[in-house]
Amino acid sequence: MTANPAPAAPPAERYARSAASHAEAKRYMPGGVNSPVRAYRAVGREPVTIRSGAGAWVTDVDGNRYVDYVGSYGPLILGHAAPQVLAAVGEAMRNGTTFGMPTEAETRLARTVVDAVPGVDVVRFVNSGTEAAMSALRLARAATGGHRVIKCIGCYHGHTDAMLVSAGSAATSLGVPSSPGVPAAVAASTLLVPFNDLDAVERAMATHRGEIACMAVEPIAGNMGLVPPAPGYLQGLRALCDRFGVPLLFDEVMTGFRVDHGCAQGLYGVTPDLTCLGKVVGGGLPCAAYGGREELMRQVAPDGPVYQAGTLSGNPLAMAAGQAQLDALAADGFAAYRRLEAASARLEEGLRGLAADAGCPLTTTRVGSMLGVFFVEEDGSPVRDYADATAQSTRRYAAFFGAMLDAGVILAPAAFECWFVSTAHDDEAIEHTLAAAGPAFAAAAATPFRSAEVRSPEADA
Ligand SMILES: *Cc1c(COP(=O)(O)O)cnc(C)c1O
């Protein structure tokens, strides 16, 4: 695998076909993309258009090759075009792509999920994480009679109305913490608390006794960069939920099967009442799920009155891809997770050393193969919540991002996304990354810290 040469200034012709492709895409789609972050607005570049992926690498339409840490924002824990996944999808596809009738593949993946995830007795497959969170919230509202949801500032639970309030990632980068079109009444039913702050949760529960449908949280926050739970935080949430009779909802769309076979709830030993899954569980096809305690999930139609349905839910191709990926992760006594840990630790340590050498203040956070890199003002300053996360320099991140791209490493085009390491990130991929990172940290360090961009109001909340 040849690395791209790293020119001081990228010649326009190097990205010519991507530029032409993006120009045409903009004519037909908002921003030329089907999800806003892909438009590269937060890093001041033109997006590269991808032709193919294999293992840890992707190739753009101009033929430039990159080590990829986007990983489609989480699903691709085995890397691109993993042979097990392709074989399983190919086989399923030859038998028909969708039926709208039950298949054995659904039960098999459901059993795999229920066996693995402590808080899931019964599961329903859906098509996206957004749909999973929306459906879980409806169920929680139906089960409790409460209309309010407690949500952490900077956590992302998809773009359903009630959850699109102080959401992270793309919403953070674009400076639109909530969106026009979300009814004020819906937004007002969402109670916001800082991540890692138990006192704020207790106050919200005490003030709105009997009105709260659920406490929703990413058990490891991954949509404001990576912010791990403080010791005792998740246990504290469990205790408060028990005391006030509020269901605890873990949104594990990003962390589920990513950090451990038992997901974050297995890793930290805290069992929620409801769980959302997505990304890894679908093996890179459109698939997500929500599940939970038996008596809650039996309220979902047709066992109960809470309606939720989907033409393509439990799609045979998605079931095959998810099953193949989860089986590969479980093989050899879950060896994949140990390999992911080793590769990710090496990457994190390498990056820290190079940043220090370049005089670039940095904080890194990591849980398994999810890595957070924050361009903070003072080296090593802690990142515990959204206020800390958004105090970083997005300008320095943009400089770092551009230098990495030109040197053949593709990162998420926003400072508030995790890096995702896959089992395909071998020594060669990590070495290529670290070779690119030295000069990229120097470029970041040479960039003024303060950003001219508008910070979102939540940064000061
Ligand atoms: C990605 C994500 C979602 C949304 O999933 P989509 O499939 O993009 O709708 C929800 N919650 C969390 C924690 C996520 O990371």
Side-chain angles (χ1 to χ4, degrees):
M1 313 246 169
T2 51
N4 299 317
E13 56 272 27
R14 197 153 158 232
Y15 300 108
R17 189 147 168 196
S18 276
S21 160
H22 186 55
E24 190 186 6
K26 281 194 280 196
R27 161 73 183 78
Y28 299 107
M29 295 174 281
V33 292
N34 285 303
S35 202
V37 71
R38 298 178 198 169
Y40 277 32
R41 298 271 165 93
V43 288
R45 294 274 302 234
E46 288 267 291
V48 294
T49 303
I50 299 302
R51 186 170 68 203
S52 63
W57 298 74
V58 292
T59 303
D60 71 16
V61 289
D62 289 287
N64 302 305
R65 305 186 71 248
Y66 310 86
V67 175
D68 176 29
Y69 290 95
V70 181
S72 195
Y73 295 91
L76 301 181
I77 198 165
L78 302 180
H80 293 274
Q84 310 93 315
V85 174
L86 295 193
V89 172
E91 196 185 319
M93 188 171 63
R94 281 188 288 277
N95 291 323
T97 57
T98 178
F99 303 106
M101 291 182 263
T103 60
E104 289 182 339
E106 292 159 83
T107 307
R108 207 171 143 227
L109 188 59
R111 192 193 319 122
T112 301
V113 168
V114 167
D115 286 350
V117 189
V120 177
D121 300 331
V122 178
V123 68
R124 168 66 58 82
F125 289 110
V126 294
N127 301 291
S128 71
T130 292
E131 201 184 340
M134 178 188 83
S135 308
L137 179 55
R138 178 179 302 143
L139 173 58
R141 282 174 165 158
T144 58
H147 68 289
R148 295 188 188 279
V149 52
I150 306 179
K151 176 192 173 293
C152 291
I153 300 163
C155 280
Y156 181 64
H157 305 294
H159 60 86
T160 190
D161 283 354
M163 296 299 204
L164 199 59
V165 181
S166 289
S169 307
T172 300
S173 296
L174 291 173
V176 279
S178 60
S179 168
V182 174
V186 174
S189 73
T190 303
L191 304 169
L192 296 169
V193 295
F195 188 69
N196 274 332
D197 183 343
L198 288 171
D199 291 342
V201 175
E202 182 170 6
R203 279 195 300 275
M205 288 186 179
T207 309
H208 299 280
R209 236 176 241 274
E211 295 175 1
I212 298 171
C214 68
M215 165 75 219
V217 70
E218 292 179 71
I220 302 163
N223 284 288
M224 45 176 145
L226 180 71
V227 184
Y233 177 62
L234 299 177
Q235 289 81 356
L237 287 181
R238 181 69 273 177
L240 284 171
C241 284
D242 289 344
R243 192 168 121 211
F244 287 94
V246 171
L248 179 59
L249 166 62
F250 276 6
D251 182 348
E252 298 227 42
V253 170
M254 186 182 288
T255 53
F257 298 102
R258 160 67 59 182
V259 295
D260 190 59
H261 182 65
C263 309
Q265 55 196 267
L267 200 61
Y268 292 96
V270 175
T271 304
D273 303 289
L274 288 167
T275 299
C276 294
L277 297 167
K279 296 181 176 141
V280 173
V281 80
L285 269 77
C287 174
Y290 68 105
R293 285 195 290 116
E294 175 100 31
E295 63 268 34
L296 286 171
M297 288 304 292
R298 292 296 174 203
Q299 299 186 36
V300 175
D303 281 350
V306 181
Y307 191 71
Q308 179 270 312
T311 300
L312 293 173
S313 293
N315 176 264
L317 306 191
M319 296 296 102
Q323 190 75 53
Q325 191 154 264
L326 297 192
D327 288 351
L329 289 168
D332 302 325
F334 307 105
Y337 291 105
R338 291 190 290 279
R339 280 209 310 281
L340 286 165
E341 171 63 30
S344 308
R346 187 174 166 219
L347 175 65
E348 182 187 23
E349 280 155 30
L351 291 172
R352 288 165 79 113
L354 290 164
D357 293 348
C360 183
L362 199 75
T363 291
T364 61
T365 52
R366 189 174 65 81
V367 180
S369 57
M370 293 166 66
L371 174 68
V373 172
F374 296 92
F375 287 84
V376 290
E377 196 154 18
E378 282 191 38
D379 192 56
S381 57
V383 178
R384 293 150 303 203
D385 58 19
Y386 187 74
D388 292 340
T390 49
Q392 71 170 317
S393 174
T394 52
R395 222 173 140 181
R396 283 196 178 161
Y397 181 77
F400 182 76
F401 170 89
M404 291 294 269
L405 189 76
D406 294 337
V409 180
I410 205 155
L411 306 172
F416 304 101
E417 307 283 357
C418 288
W419 298 34
F420 295 104
V421 179
S422 80
T423 55
H425 285 75
D426 55 9
D427 287 348
E428 189 203 356
I430 306 267
E431 272 154 32
H432 177 73
T433 307
L434 296 176
F441 279 125
T447 303
F449 184 86
R450 288 287 161 219
S451 173
E453 291 164 49
V454 180
R455 286 169 68 196
S456 82
E458 273 64 28
D460 306 308

